[in-house]
């Protein structure tokens, strides 16, 4: 995924900026724990806890191995759970990287509202998504993304298989739709801090 490494690294930097002492940080849809670990090493505030949540038991198990090998000092808890029904409490930072796009559209606002409700005032949501464009920019962005895949060794078959696998599963939306929903959920400020082709990252502040 173009820009993924930068998104992970900056999630740690942003966590360091917005984490507050005696609060929780959440990595929702934590997968193998890359963002969890980046946050762990970025946090400077005392007595914080990072909670990584994923609905795949295999992912949580593997993430646990990586966490155990890591020398970070911040407490980490990993949960195998559905993020759409998980309570967010006393949070200063929440990461939701490339996850919302796999949540049903009619559940996205509820999830973001749940996150906003659980964030303390001044808390930050890191939201990374694949977006679509509502003008003639989309074909160019698609072409550049395909060129990126080919340049990184993907065969035409692999590209076709990937497209088939995510069709009707990953449902991107426009930037304006994302920002409007974030505002509706309770976030006062939203900025786009990173973009690589149609992959973007936002910082939403409560």
């Amino acid at each position: 995924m173009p820009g993924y490494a930068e998104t992970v690294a900056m999630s740690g930097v942003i966590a360091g900026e917005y984490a507050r002492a005696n609060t929780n940080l959440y990595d929702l849809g934590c997968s193998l724990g890359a963002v969890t670990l980046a946050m762990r090493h970025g946090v400077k505030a005392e007595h914080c806890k990072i909670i990584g949540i994923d609905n795949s038991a295999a992912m949580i198990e593997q993430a646990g191995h990586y966490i155990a090998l890591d020398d970070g000092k911040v407490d980490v808890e990993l949960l195998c759970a559905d993020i759409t029904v998980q309570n967010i409490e006393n949070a200063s930072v929440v990461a939701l990287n490339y996850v919302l796009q796999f949540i049903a559209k009619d559940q996205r606002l509820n999830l973001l509202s749940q996150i906003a409700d659980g964030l303390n005032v001044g808390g930050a949501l890191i939201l990374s998504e694949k977006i679509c464009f509502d003008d003639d920019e989309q074909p160019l962005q698609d072409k550049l993304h395909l060129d990126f895949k080919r340049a990184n060794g993907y065969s035409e078959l692999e590209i076709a298989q990937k497209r088939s696998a995510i069709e009707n599963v990953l449902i991107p939306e426009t930037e304006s739709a994302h920002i409007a929903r974030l505002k509706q959920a309770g976030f006062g400020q939203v900025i786009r801090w990173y973009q690589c082709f149609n992959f973007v990252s936002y910082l939403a502040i409560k």
Side-chain angles (χ1 to χ4, degrees), residues 120-142:
N120 299 330
V121 174
L125 167 65
I126 305 163
L127 174 66
S128 300
E129 284 287 286
K130 181 180 182 180
I131 66 169
C132 60
F133 301 90
D134 52 13
D135 53 30
D136 57 4
E137 182 178 349
Q138 186 67 52
L140 176 58
Q141 292 285 1
D142 286 340

Side-chain angles (χ1 to χ4, degrees), residues 6-195:
E6 289 81 1
T7 299
V8 170
M10 279 304 299
S11 293
V13 173
I14 293 171
E17 178 68 24
Y18 285 92
R20 297 293 178 262
N22 304 299
T23 63
N24 297 319
L25 292 82
Y26 290 82
D27 182 10
L28 302 181
C30 65
S31 186
L32 297 178
V35 170
T36 298
L37 288 170
M39 294 169 71
R40 190 183 205 188
H41 288 275
V43 170
K44 300 179 285 288
E46 295 184 346
H47 308 301
C48 289
K49 181 179 182 180
I50 301 172
I51 302 169
I53 304 173
D54 201 283
N55 64 0
S56 167
M59 290 288 191
I60 289 294
E61 181 179 3
Q62 189 61 51
H65 291 310
Y66 292 135
I67 297 299
L69 293 171
D70 180 65
D71 61 358
K73 305 303 180 185
V74 181
D75 287 342
V76 174
E77 179 182 1
L78 298 175
L79 300 175
C80 184
D82 180 352
I83 65 170
T84 64
V85 296
Q86 185 68 34
N87 286 334
I88 307 297
E89 300 174 333
N90 186 31
S92 56
V93 179
V94 176
L96 189 66
N97 287 321
Y98 305 112
V99 173
L100 191 66
Q101 59 205 18
F102 295 107
I103 302 295
K105 276 190 175 183
D106 60 0
Q107 295 183 31
R108 294 177 186 180
L109 177 58
N110 286 339
L111 175 58
L112 292 175
S113 298
Q114 171 185 319
I115 292 169
D117 289 345
L119 275 166
N120 299 330
V121 174
L125 167 65
I126 305 163
L127 174 66
S128 300
E129 284 287 286
K130 181 180 182 180
I131 66 169
C132 60
F133 301 90
D134 52 13
D135 53 30
D136 57 4
E137 182 178 349
Q138 186 67 52
L140 176 58
Q141 292 285 1
D142 286 340
K143 181 182 183 302
L144 290 171
H145 187 203
L146 289 175
D147 289 342
F148 169 85
K149 289 182 177 180
R150 294 182 184 109
N152 282 273
Y154 285 82
S155 69
E156 295 302 322
L157 176 59
E158 288 171 324
I159 291 172
Q161 288 175 332
K162 178 69 171 180
R163 177 180 293 169
S164 176
I166 65 175
E167 190 175 10
N168 299 321
V169 176
L170 188 162
I171 304 176
E173 296 178 279
T174 62
E175 177 168 86
S176 59
H178 280 292
I179 292 175
R181 186 169 48 229
L182 286 164
K183 294 291 184 67
Q184 186 180 355
F187 293 93
Q189 182 182 14
V190 182
I191 64 166
R192 173 171 22 102
W193 59 266
Y194 185 78
Q195 178 177 352

